[in-house]
Amino acid sequence: MSAKKLKLHHKILLALVLGAIFGALFNISKYKLEITYRIDKREAATEVVERWKQIEFVDAETKAVKATFGAEDQLRILSYVGKMSAADKSRMIVNVTPETGEQLSFANVRKIEKVKTIAVLIKPIGTLFIRLLMFVAIPLVLSSLLVGAASLGDIKKVGSIGSKTVGFYLITIVSAIAMGLLMVNTIQPGTRLSTDAREKLMVNFEANIADKIQEETSIDLIDLLMRIVPTNPVEAMSRGDMLAVIFFALMLGVSLTMVSKQKSEPVIRFFDGVSDTMIRMVELILVIAPYGVFALISAVVGEFGFDILQTLAWYVGTLLIAYALHQFITLGLLVRVFGGMNPATFFRGIKDVMLIAFSSSSSAATLPVNMDCCQKNLGVPKKITSFVLPLGATINMDGTSMYQAVAAVFIAQVYGIDLNLGAQLTIILTAVLASIGTAPVPGVGIVMLIIVLRSVNIPEEGIALILGVDRFLDMCRTVLNVSGDAAVTVIMAKQEGVLGKPDPDAIDA
Ligand code: ASP
């Protein structure tokens, strides 16, 4: 690793810490609301109200009180207003009774929002960084995988690497779920949540889960398999459908070995050039990583309500312990036993990957960085990273599957539902499928959790209990998701006898 790279890593880490401090300093207040209302047809005004004792929604015509909220009800007020139509809003009078001073009344209210702080306003810088990473992903995967497959030579070889990779992925997923179940059954976080806290969580987040429950959340294995073969590869690329792109690139690469060298050579050379260029582009994008990470973390921390972390401390703690054990013990052991690599070397090599995954909460955005780091820092040749990593980003989610299992059991514990061995085995199976079906972008894991809950008849409204801390846990589970991919990449390189060996020139291979 060059000195420049080391410096970048430190910069990202520093940005993460500073971003968290900045976000905490400019945390969004839960005692402030910004009310936008119309004065007349052309003019609107905005007023910030804070420290209210009570906020009341009154029908302007009938004078009937429609809803009353207290000082701690910011979230409930927002979801109440969020569900109103424009017509409903214009019929309402909003009466605000402050802790001190006179009552304020607003008619013709258009919007009620949290008061954004600078920590949240800088979020677009982070979003831009993630978009840059995502935009490299498809051309990078297509070109490197095509060249990789062409250098592997024949379809049998591709098939054998493919099945071994999937096998190792299954091992990491199942061991992650088992670790999660072990921890949640031992620590029993659900029995430690007070009834009072439970009711508060349900009331506060009930409204926010309605849209999640309605999302299409079924998993059809046949459908999943069918989707691997796109009817139109260009459309699959434009949709960013990774499994379909992988299939297309593999087919192209393998077929290229079947035409004359005179014809295949320029094609492979071209895509090899594209792939190298894309890797350079990733390095270029990483130059702004510290700014992106700062903005992303500052926005998350700025928006986060810290008291909920306290309420759910047992649940969060259980997951964090299980995450850490899987990350450093299970993955470390697998890398040592099957990959012959010192775990310390492995984790040092993927530091950037872990940091970007944590700040972006997206395996897809982290994929280009993972490919770069596995090649440069861990000595895995391109023909392995280009196949194993994109596949892993899509189907291998150790963190998400573990999270889904732990969350399901936690909710069951809160509701006092007893889960026997059969139910826990069902959870393992559905969590494997649900995590395979989870898209590698922020916040999808909790939607797919519904499948796991349904499989063992746990009330799906239970996700209201854990929604408040999901953003933070999503960041952590994404680290595990990408680390598992990197571990299997090292293992596969070792199994194929190419770990630490520079890429043979694809064309001469
Ligand atoms: N954010 C996760 C990922 O991209 C998916 C999830 O669990 O929500 O890997």
Side-chain angles (χ1 to χ4, degrees):
M1 213 190 324
S2 65
K4 208 168 147 218
K5 199 81 197 246
L6 249 171
K7 246 169 75 196
L8 174 70
H9 158 72
H10 284 133
K11 276 195 217 157
I12 299 179
L13 195 62
L14 189 68
L16 204 135
V17 175
L18 290 180
I21 297 173
F22 191 74
L25 284 177
F26 296 98
N27 198 248
I28 287 187
S29 166
K30 60 180 229 187
Y31 300 110
K32 274 190 194 167
L33 280 173
E34 190 176 83
I35 302 182
T36 307
Y37 58 100
R38 189 146 273 178
I39 299 174
D40 56 40
K41 275 219 169 88
R42 260 177 278 143
E43 227 186 314
T46 303
E47 193 143 341
V48 173
V49 295
E50 57 185 306
R51 297 269 160 210
W52 60 87
K53 219 165 39 192
Q54 182 183 295
I55 292 189
E56 212 178 44
F57 290 81
V58 180
D59 189 313
E61 278 167 34
T62 64
K63 302 283 179 263
V65 177
K66 292 288 183 195
T68 309
F69 299 97
E72 299 285 331
D73 290 341
Q74 188 198 50
L75 281 180
R76 292 177 61 203
I77 296 171
L78 292 173
S79 59
Y80 179 74
V81 177
K83 276 186 285 183
M84 278 187 198
S85 66
D88 284 345
K89 280 185 213 154
S90 50
R91 253 205 319 272
M92 285 294 172
I93 305 262
V94 181
N95 292 330
V96 181
T97 317
E99 274 177 3
T100 51
E102 276 172 39
Q103 191 189 53
L104 302 165
S105 283
F106 301 92
N108 264 321
V109 169
R110 312 314 300 161
K111 277 191 299 199
I112 299 189
E113 294 174 313
K114 291 182 186 172
V115 182
K116 291 202 179 73
T117 65
I118 176 84
V120 177
L121 290 172
I122 58 172
K123 193 174 174 181
I125 302 172
T127 312
L128 194 72
F129 170 58
I130 295 188
R131 290 180 70 102
L132 279 168
L133 285 176
M134 301 277 268
F135 113 119
V136 191
I138 294 289
L140 174 63
V141 169
L142 178 73
S143 56
S144 351
L145 188 47
L146 182 149
V147 177
S151 75
L152 285 177
D154 63 81
I155 195 132
K156 261 211 231 114
K157 186 100 181 117
V158 172
S160 109
I161 295 189
S163 48
K164 267 198 238 163
T165 305
V166 172
F168 276 111
Y169 277 148
L170 278 177
I171 294 177
T172 65
I173 298 189
V174 173
S175 53
I177 300 176
M179 175 69 80
L181 286 179
L182 180 72
M183 287 300 131
V184 73
N185 283 304
T186 316
I187 302 176
Q188 301 264 339
T191 56
R192 298 170 198 264
L193 191 75
S194 69
T195 330
D196 193 35
R198 170 189 154 172
E199 259 150 36
K200 242 194 185 143
L201 288 169
M202 287 307 282
V203 170
N204 279 343
F205 292 99
E206 214 168 25
N208 302 40
I209 61 160
D211 51 334
K212 297 219 182 304
I213 291 182
Q214 270 157 23
E215 270 177 55
E216 188 48 56
T217 50
S218 60
I219 281 203
D220 185 345
L221 214 54
I222 303 285
D223 190 46
L224 207 69
L225 288 175
M226 286 298 161
R227 273 208 349 245
I228 296 177
V229 185
T231 49
N232 178 350
V234 179
E235 189 218 18
M237 275 188 271
S238 75
R239 259 189 297 123
D241 191 341
M242 199 56 91
L243 286 181
V245 174
I246 292 174
F247 181 76
F248 177 53
L250 280 179
M251 289 298 278
L252 268 179
V254 169
S255 311
L256 270 169
T257 61
M258 296 171 184
V259 293
S260 73
K261 209 165 176 183
Q262 194 201 2
K263 288 183 180 163
S264 65
E265 219 176 56
V267 181
I268 300 178
R269 223 182 256 287
F270 168 77
F271 280 104
D272 205 17
V274 173
S275 151
D276 278 1
T277 312
M278 286 299 148
I279 286 281
R280 289 280 162 277
M281 215 186 267
V282 175
E283 284 162 11
L284 211 61
I285 296 167
L286 281 181
V287 172
I288 66 152
Y291 307 99
V293 166
F294 179 90
L296 288 170
I297 297 293
S298 131
V300 173
V301 176
E303 261 172 296
F304 200 70
F306 283 97
D307 16 352
I308 189 158
L309 210 52
Q310 219 176 349
T311 316
L312 288 169
W314 281 101
Y315 165 67
V316 174
T318 306
L319 259 172
L320 290 186
I321 294 172
Y323 281 159
L325 288 175
H326 181 77
Q327 171 96 9
F328 297 109
I329 309 286
T330 314
L331 290 184
L333 266 175
L334 287 174
V335 164
R336 152 125 307 152
V337 175
F338 295 104
M341 185 182 276
N342 184 340
T345 314
F346 171 70
F347 289 115
R348 223 177 298 125
I350 60 162
K351 266 194 275 185
D352 285 357
V353 179
M354 294 194 284
L355 287 170
I356 303 285
F358 183 75
S359 11
S360 70
S361 280
S362 165
S363 301
T366 316
L367 175 65
V369 187
N370 212 352
M371 288 173 79
D372 188 36
C373 286
C374 284
Q375 283 169 31
K376 303 258 160 64
N377 305 343
L378 302 177
V380 181
K382 188 154 83 178
K383 66 177 172 197
I384 299 289
T385 57
S386 63
F387 175 58
V388 180
L389 285 174
L391 189 67
T394 330
I395 67 163
N396 181 52
M397 299 210 174
D398 296 6
T400 300
S401 55
M402 175 196 281
Y403 151 81
Q404 284 163 343
V406 170
V409 178
F410 170 75
I411 295 171
Q413 286 170 353
V414 176
Y415 280 98
I417 300 169
D418 198 27
L419 295 173
N420 57 19
L421 192 66
Q424 306 240 3
L425 286 176
T426 311
I427 289 181
I428 296 188
L429 193 72
T430 39
V432 171
L433 292 177
S435 75
I436 291 176
T438 302
V441 288
V444 185
I446 195 162
V447 178
M448 301 305 276
L449 168 63
I450 294 169
I451 296 177
V452 182
L453 296 180
R454 280 188 192 148
S455 73
V456 279
N457 295 324
I458 301 171
E460 49 210 52
E461 305 79 62
I463 62 171
L465 296 170
I466 54 170
L467 194 62
V469 284
D470 191 65
R471 187 69 185 83
F472 171 63
L473 292 176
D474 191 8
M475 294 161 82
C476 304
R477 67 183 182 248
T478 308
V479 175
L480 225 63
N481 289 348
V482 297
S483 305
D485 301 343
V488 173
T489 307
V490 168
I491 292 171
M492 282 309 297
K494 178 75 182 172
Q495 300 291 317
E496 294 302 309
V498 289
L499 186 61
K501 298 204 175 126
D503 264 311
D505 189 341
I507 291 171
D508 298 328

Short mmCIF file of all heavy atoms in Angstrom, two decimals, residues 323 357 360-366 392-393 396-401 403-404 435 438-448 470-471 473-475 477-482 485, ligand 1:
data_model
loop_
_atom_site.label_atom_id
_atom_site.label_comp_id
_atom_site.label_asym_id
_atom_site.label_seq_id
_atom_site.Cartn_x
_atom_site.Cartn_y
_atom_site.Cartn_z
N TYR A 323 -22.53 -8.84 15.39
CA TYR A 323 -21.81 -8.31 14.21
C TYR A 323 -20.31 -8.45 14.41
O TYR A 323 -19.59 -8.95 13.55
CB TYR A 323 -22.10 -6.82 14.02
CG TYR A 323 -23.42 -6.45 13.38
CD1 TYR A 323 -23.95 -5.18 13.55
CD2 TYR A 323 -24.10 -7.34 12.56
CE1 TYR A 323 -25.16 -4.80 12.96
CE2 TYR A 323 -25.31 -6.97 11.96
CZ TYR A 323 -25.83 -5.70 12.17
OH TYR A 323 -27.00 -5.34 11.59
N ALA A 357 -18.48 1.50 3.33
CA ALA A 357 -19.74 0.77 3.54
C ALA A 357 -20.50 1.37 4.71
O ALA A 357 -21.71 1.59 4.65
CB ALA A 357 -19.46 -0.70 3.79
N SER A 360 -21.86 4.83 3.63
CA SER A 360 -22.85 4.89 2.54
C SER A 360 -24.05 3.98 2.78
O SER A 360 -25.09 4.17 2.16
CB SER A 360 -22.19 4.49 1.22
OG SER A 360 -21.89 3.10 1.23
N SER A 361 -23.92 2.97 3.65
CA SER A 361 -24.99 1.97 3.85
C SER A 361 -25.38 1.29 2.55
O SER A 361 -26.53 0.90 2.39
CB SER A 361 -26.28 2.62 4.37
OG SER A 361 -26.19 2.85 5.71
N SER A 362 -24.45 1.20 1.62
CA SER A 362 -24.82 0.58 0.34
C SER A 362 -23.71 -0.32 -0.17
O SER A 362 -22.61 0.14 -0.47
CB SER A 362 -25.13 1.68 -0.68
OG SER A 362 -25.16 1.14 -1.97
N SER A 363 -24.02 -1.62 -0.28
CA SER A 363 -23.03 -2.55 -0.83
C SER A 363 -22.76 -2.22 -2.29
O SER A 363 -21.64 -2.39 -2.77
CB SER A 363 -23.56 -3.99 -0.79
OG SER A 363 -23.85 -4.39 0.50
N ALA A 364 -23.78 -1.75 -3.01
CA ALA A 364 -23.60 -1.44 -4.43
C ALA A 364 -22.61 -0.30 -4.60
O ALA A 364 -21.72 -0.35 -5.46
CB ALA A 364 -24.93 -1.10 -5.07
N ALA A 365 -22.75 0.75 -3.78
CA ALA A 365 -21.83 1.89 -3.89
C ALA A 365 -20.43 1.48 -3.48
O ALA A 365 -19.43 2.03 -3.96
CB ALA A 365 -22.33 3.05 -3.04
N THR A 366 -20.32 0.52 -2.57
CA THR A 366 -19.00 0.12 -2.07
C THR A 366 -18.30 -0.85 -3.02
O THR A 366 -17.08 -1.01 -2.95
CB THR A 366 -19.14 -0.53 -0.67
OG1 THR A 366 -20.04 0.26 0.11
CG2 THR A 366 -17.82 -0.58 0.07
N GLY A 392 -21.33 -11.32 -4.94
CA GLY A 392 -21.48 -11.19 -3.49
C GLY A 392 -22.29 -9.96 -3.11
O GLY A 392 -23.14 -10.01 -2.22
N ALA A 393 -22.02 -8.83 -3.78
CA ALA A 393 -22.74 -7.60 -3.44
C ALA A 393 -24.24 -7.82 -3.62
O ALA A 393 -25.05 -7.21 -2.92
CB ALA A 393 -22.26 -6.46 -4.33
N ASN A 396 -24.81 -12.05 -1.36
CA ASN A 396 -24.24 -12.41 -0.06
C ASN A 396 -24.37 -11.26 0.94
O ASN A 396 -23.67 -10.26 0.83
CB ASN A 396 -22.77 -12.79 -0.22
CG ASN A 396 -22.14 -13.20 1.10
OD1 ASN A 396 -22.67 -14.06 1.81
ND2 ASN A 396 -21.05 -12.56 1.46
N MET A 397 -25.27 -11.41 1.88
CA MET A 397 -25.43 -10.34 2.86
C MET A 397 -25.41 -10.94 4.26
O MET A 397 -26.45 -11.25 4.84
CB MET A 397 -26.76 -9.63 2.62
CG MET A 397 -26.82 -9.00 1.26
SD MET A 397 -27.84 -7.55 1.26
CE MET A 397 -27.56 -6.98 -0.40
N ASP A 398 -24.23 -11.09 4.80
CA ASP A 398 -24.09 -11.66 6.14
C ASP A 398 -24.76 -10.78 7.18
O ASP A 398 -25.50 -11.25 8.04
CB ASP A 398 -22.60 -11.77 6.52
CG ASP A 398 -21.85 -12.72 5.61
OD1 ASP A 398 -22.45 -13.19 4.63
OD2 ASP A 398 -20.67 -12.99 5.88
N GLY A 399 -24.49 -9.48 7.08
CA GLY A 399 -25.03 -8.54 8.07
C GLY A 399 -26.54 -8.48 8.01
O GLY A 399 -27.23 -8.50 9.04
N THR A 400 -27.07 -8.39 6.80
CA THR A 400 -28.52 -8.26 6.64
C THR A 400 -29.23 -9.52 7.12
O THR A 400 -30.25 -9.44 7.81
CB THR A 400 -28.86 -7.95 5.17
OG1 THR A 400 -28.22 -6.73 4.82
CG2 THR A 400 -30.35 -7.83 4.95
N SER A 401 -28.70 -10.69 6.76
CA SER A 401 -29.39 -11.92 7.16
C SER A 401 -29.35 -12.09 8.68
O SER A 401 -30.34 -12.47 9.31
CB SER A 401 -28.78 -13.14 6.47
OG SER A 401 -27.41 -13.19 6.72
N TYR A 403 -29.12 -9.68 10.84
CA TYR A 403 -30.02 -8.65 11.38
C TYR A 403 -31.48 -9.11 11.30
O TYR A 403 -32.26 -8.93 12.24
CB TYR A 403 -29.80 -7.35 10.58
CG TYR A 403 -31.00 -6.46 10.49
CD1 TYR A 403 -31.33 -5.61 11.54
CD2 TYR A 403 -31.81 -6.49 9.37
CE1 TYR A 403 -32.45 -4.82 11.46
CE2 TYR A 403 -32.93 -5.71 9.28
CZ TYR A 403 -33.25 -4.87 10.33
OH TYR A 403 -34.37 -4.10 10.25
N GLN A 404 -31.83 -9.71 10.15
CA GLN A 404 -33.23 -10.13 9.99
C GLN A 404 -33.60 -11.22 11.01
O GLN A 404 -34.69 -11.21 11.57
CB GLN A 404 -33.47 -10.62 8.55
CG GLN A 404 -33.56 -9.43 7.59
CD GLN A 404 -33.40 -9.80 6.14
OE1 GLN A 404 -32.90 -10.88 5.82
NE2 GLN A 404 -33.79 -8.91 5.25
N SER A 435 -32.30 -12.20 2.51
CA SER A 435 -31.10 -11.37 2.31
C SER A 435 -30.60 -11.49 0.87
O SER A 435 -30.09 -10.53 0.31
CB SER A 435 -30.01 -11.73 3.31
OG SER A 435 -29.40 -12.93 2.96
N THR A 438 -32.57 -9.04 -0.94
CA THR A 438 -32.43 -7.63 -0.54
C THR A 438 -31.52 -6.89 -1.52
O THR A 438 -30.43 -7.33 -1.80
CB THR A 438 -31.81 -7.55 0.88
OG1 THR A 438 -32.64 -8.26 1.79
CG2 THR A 438 -31.68 -6.10 1.34
N ALA A 439 -32.01 -5.76 -2.02
CA ALA A 439 -31.20 -4.97 -2.94
C ALA A 439 -30.06 -4.31 -2.16
O ALA A 439 -30.26 -3.93 -1.00
CB ALA A 439 -32.06 -3.92 -3.60
N PRO A 440 -28.88 -4.20 -2.79
CA PRO A 440 -27.72 -3.68 -2.04
C PRO A 440 -27.72 -2.16 -1.86
O PRO A 440 -26.74 -1.49 -2.15
CB PRO A 440 -26.53 -4.14 -2.88
CG PRO A 440 -27.06 -4.28 -4.26
CD PRO A 440 -28.51 -4.61 -4.15
N VAL A 441 -28.81 -1.63 -1.43
CA VAL A 441 -28.91 -0.18 -1.21
C VAL A 441 -29.48 0.10 0.19
O VAL A 441 -30.01 -0.82 0.81
CB VAL A 441 -29.78 0.50 -2.30
CG1 VAL A 441 -29.06 0.54 -3.62
CG2 VAL A 441 -31.11 -0.22 -2.45
N PRO A 442 -29.39 1.34 0.68
CA PRO A 442 -29.78 1.59 2.07
C PRO A 442 -31.23 1.24 2.40
O PRO A 442 -32.14 1.46 1.59
CB PRO A 442 -29.56 3.09 2.23
CG PRO A 442 -28.58 3.46 1.19
CD PRO A 442 -28.80 2.54 0.05
N GLY A 443 -31.41 0.66 3.56
CA GLY A 443 -32.75 0.51 4.13
C GLY A 443 -33.65 -0.58 3.56
O GLY A 443 -34.83 -0.63 3.91
N VAL A 444 -33.13 -1.45 2.70
CA VAL A 444 -34.01 -2.46 2.12
C VAL A 444 -34.16 -3.66 3.06
O VAL A 444 -35.18 -4.35 3.07
CB VAL A 444 -33.50 -2.92 0.74
CG1 VAL A 444 -34.48 -3.88 0.08
CG2 VAL A 444 -33.31 -1.71 -0.15
N GLY A 445 -33.12 -3.89 3.87
CA GLY A 445 -33.15 -5.03 4.78
C GLY A 445 -34.38 -5.08 5.65
O GLY A 445 -34.95 -6.14 5.88
N ILE A 446 -34.83 -3.93 6.11
CA ILE A 446 -35.99 -3.91 7.02
C ILE A 446 -37.28 -4.24 6.29
O ILE A 446 -38.21 -4.81 6.85
CB ILE A 446 -36.09 -2.57 7.80
CG1 ILE A 446 -37.04 -2.74 8.97
CG2 ILE A 446 -36.49 -1.43 6.92
CD1 ILE A 446 -36.91 -1.68 10.05
N VAL A 447 -37.34 -3.90 5.00
CA VAL A 447 -38.53 -4.23 4.21
C VAL A 447 -38.60 -5.74 4.01
O VAL A 447 -39.64 -6.37 4.16
CB VAL A 447 -38.51 -3.49 2.85
CG1 VAL A 447 -39.73 -3.88 2.03
CG2 VAL A 447 -38.47 -1.99 3.06
N MET A 448 -37.44 -6.34 3.69
CA MET A 448 -37.41 -7.78 3.45
C MET A 448 -37.59 -8.57 4.76
O MET A 448 -37.92 -9.74 4.74
CB MET A 448 -36.10 -8.19 2.78
CG MET A 448 -35.86 -7.52 1.45
SD MET A 448 -37.22 -7.73 0.28
CE MET A 448 -36.81 -9.30 -0.43
N ASP A 470 -32.98 1.77 12.84
CA ASP A 470 -32.60 1.00 11.65
C ASP A 470 -31.50 1.67 10.82
O ASP A 470 -30.64 0.99 10.27
CB ASP A 470 -33.83 0.75 10.76
CG ASP A 470 -33.50 -0.26 9.69
OD1 ASP A 470 -33.23 -1.41 10.07
OD2 ASP A 470 -33.44 0.10 8.50
N ARG A 471 -31.54 2.98 10.76
CA ARG A 471 -30.53 3.69 9.94
C ARG A 471 -29.13 3.36 10.45
O ARG A 471 -28.23 3.05 9.67
CB ARG A 471 -30.80 5.19 10.02
CG ARG A 471 -29.95 6.03 9.12
CD ARG A 471 -30.34 5.79 7.65
NE ARG A 471 -29.44 6.50 6.75
CZ ARG A 471 -28.24 6.05 6.36
NH1 ARG A 471 -27.82 4.88 6.81
NH2 ARG A 471 -27.48 6.74 5.56
N LEU A 473 -28.21 0.76 12.36
CA LEU A 473 -27.88 -0.66 12.20
C LEU A 473 -27.62 -1.01 10.74
O LEU A 473 -26.83 -1.91 10.43
CB LEU A 473 -29.03 -1.52 12.76
CG LEU A 473 -29.17 -1.42 14.28
CD1 LEU A 473 -30.37 -2.21 14.76
CD2 LEU A 473 -27.91 -1.92 14.99
N ASP A 474 -28.27 -0.29 9.84
CA ASP A 474 -28.05 -0.50 8.41
C ASP A 474 -26.58 -0.21 8.06
O ASP A 474 -25.94 -0.92 7.30
CB ASP A 474 -28.99 0.44 7.62
CG ASP A 474 -29.02 0.11 6.13
OD1 ASP A 474 -28.45 -0.91 5.74
OD2 ASP A 474 -29.63 0.89 5.37
N MET A 475 -26.05 0.85 8.67
CA MET A 475 -24.65 1.20 8.41
C MET A 475 -23.75 0.06 8.86
O MET A 475 -22.82 -0.34 8.16
CB MET A 475 -24.30 2.49 9.18
CG MET A 475 -25.05 3.70 8.69
SD MET A 475 -25.07 5.03 9.88
CE MET A 475 -23.51 5.79 9.59
N ARG A 477 -24.59 -3.18 9.41
CA ARG A 477 -24.75 -4.45 8.71
C ARG A 477 -24.15 -4.41 7.30
O ARG A 477 -23.71 -5.43 6.77
CB ARG A 477 -26.21 -4.91 8.69
CG ARG A 477 -27.18 -4.07 7.89
CD ARG A 477 -28.60 -4.62 8.03
NE ARG A 477 -29.56 -3.87 7.25
CZ ARG A 477 -30.52 -3.11 7.75
NH1 ARG A 477 -30.66 -3.00 9.04
NH2 ARG A 477 -31.36 -2.47 6.96
N THR A 478 -24.12 -3.21 6.71
CA THR A 478 -23.52 -3.10 5.38
C THR A 478 -22.01 -3.40 5.44
O THR A 478 -21.44 -3.98 4.52
CB THR A 478 -23.80 -1.71 4.78
OG1 THR A 478 -25.20 -1.46 4.85
CG2 THR A 478 -23.36 -1.62 3.33
N VAL A 479 -21.36 -3.01 6.55
CA VAL A 479 -19.94 -3.32 6.72
C VAL A 479 -19.74 -4.84 6.67
O VAL A 479 -18.85 -5.35 6.00
CB VAL A 479 -19.41 -2.77 8.07
CG1 VAL A 479 -17.97 -3.19 8.30
CG2 VAL A 479 -19.53 -1.26 8.12
N LEU A 480 -20.62 -5.54 7.37
CA LEU A 480 -20.52 -7.01 7.39
C LEU A 480 -20.81 -7.59 6.01
O LEU A 480 -20.14 -8.55 5.59
CB LEU A 480 -21.57 -7.53 8.38
CG LEU A 480 -21.10 -8.59 9.34
CD1 LEU A 480 -20.02 -8.03 10.21
CD2 LEU A 480 -22.25 -9.09 10.19
N ASN A 481 -21.79 -7.02 5.34
CA ASN A 481 -22.14 -7.52 4.01
C ASN A 481 -20.93 -7.48 3.07
O ASN A 481 -20.62 -8.46 2.40
CB ASN A 481 -23.26 -6.66 3.39
CG ASN A 481 -24.61 -6.90 4.06
OD1 ASN A 481 -24.75 -7.85 4.83
ND2 ASN A 481 -25.58 -6.05 3.81
N VAL A 482 -20.23 -6.34 3.05
CA VAL A 482 -19.12 -6.22 2.10
C VAL A 482 -17.87 -6.96 2.59
O VAL A 482 -17.09 -7.47 1.78
CB VAL A 482 -18.77 -4.74 1.80
CG1 VAL A 482 -19.95 -4.04 1.14
CG2 VAL A 482 -18.33 -3.99 3.02
N ASP A 485 -18.13 -10.50 1.49
CA ASP A 485 -17.80 -10.63 0.05
C ASP A 485 -16.28 -10.68 -0.14
O ASP A 485 -15.75 -11.50 -0.89
CB ASP A 485 -18.34 -9.44 -0.75
CG ASP A 485 -19.85 -9.32 -0.63
OD1 ASP A 485 -20.49 -10.31 -0.22
OD2 ASP A 485 -20.38 -8.24 -0.94
N1 ASP B 1 -27.88 -1.50 3.14
C1 ASP B 1 -27.64 -2.91 2.94
C2 ASP B 1 -26.61 -3.09 1.85
O1 ASP B 1 -26.51 -2.30 0.95
C3 ASP B 1 -28.89 -3.67 2.64
C4 ASP B 1 -29.82 -3.64 3.83
O2 ASP B 1 -29.68 -4.51 4.69
O3 ASP B 1 -30.67 -2.75 3.92
O4 ASP B 1 -25.87 -4.04 1.88
#
